[in-house]
Amino acid sequence: MEPPKMNPVVEPLSWMLGTWLSDPPGAGTFPTLQPFQYLEEVHISHVGQPMLNFSFNSFHPDTRKPLHRECGFIRLKPDTNKVAFVSAQNTGIVEVEEGEVNGQELCIASHSIARISFAKEPHVEQITRKFRLNSEGKLEQTVSMATTTQPMTQHLRVTYKKVTP
């Protein structure tokens, strides 16, 4: 079976496609947490529809124990640079983030966040993400968040090396 032809609507996001591994480990911090490192594997693909599919799977760097998981879709409004990022996470959070793609940079911010009724406090209230393909061909991601007890603060920073197209 032939791979599906990429839908032209998502061509401006084609630089994100592939399987990516954190290299070096990602770094996390937040005022209510001890600084930490993590490994992450990212799959960004398409099936010919006008969206990309993604999954982020993080692991403890020493034990390889599974940590954070999220999956979803990246949609581009046709004939614009407007992007929607829809994510479901293993922590019980579902979020819609919106923003813009400009060249090889995608900046998005939370539009809506929902959570399961028994989600752990403090609750996430806002999220911003920035993805960028750097001059070395590596994908960088930074994530900032605000919770019910903390203002917007950078939470994660990770650089990924592409391992498959």
Side-chain angles (χ1 to χ4, degrees):
M1 191 163 129
E2 265 185 55
K5 185 176 177 183
M6 177 178 277
N7 190 297
V9 169
V10 291
E11 185 63 38
L13 297 170
S14 62
W15 54 272
M16 297 181 80
L17 290 170
T19 298
W20 304 82
L21 294 177
S22 54
D23 180 30
T29 186
F30 204 68
T32 57
L33 299 172
Q34 290 291 325
F36 62 93
Q37 289 191 323
Y38 62 99
L39 301 177
E40 190 160 58
E41 183 175 41
V42 177
H43 297 281
I44 302 176
S45 63
H46 72 92
V47 295
Q49 295 177 312
M51 70 197 68
L52 300 181
N53 308 311
F54 69 81
S55 65
F56 291 82
N57 299 300
S58 63
F59 303 88
H60 189 279
D62 299 324
T63 66
R64 302 288 197 247
K65 178 183 170 187
L67 299 170
H68 185 83
R69 298 279 194 260
E70 64 184 286
C71 60
F73 306 95
I74 306 171
R75 297 186 62 106
L76 194 63
K77 184 177 180 182
D79 303 318
T80 74
N81 66 340
K82 304 286 185 227
V83 176
F85 183 94
V86 181
S87 168
Q89 302 178 24
N90 65 337
T91 56
I93 294 175
V94 177
E95 49 179 287
V96 175
E97 298 172 38
E98 293 186 1
E100 296 181 344
V101 60
N102 291 300
Q104 295 181 327
E105 184 173 284
L106 172 62
C107 296
I108 50 181
S110 53
H111 175 271
S112 61
I113 298 176
R115 69 187 55 78
I116 58 177
S117 62
F118 51 94
K120 190 168 86 172
E121 292 190 16
H123 295 309
V124 175
E125 293 191 321
Q126 289 181 291
I127 293 182
T128 64
R129 296 181 200 239
K130 180 178 178 181
F131 294 92
R132 183 177 84 87
L133 192 65
N134 71 23
S135 60
E136 299 171 349
K138 291 186 174 186
L139 184 65
E140 299 172 346
Q141 180 184 194
T142 54
V143 177
S144 296
M145 70 178 183
T147 67
T148 48
T149 62
Q150 297 295 321
M152 185 64 76
T153 305
Q154 184 173 304
H155 176 46
L156 304 171
R157 180 167 192 78
V158 61
T159 300
Y160 308 99
K161 180 180 177 181
K162 191 177 231 181
V163 293
T164 66

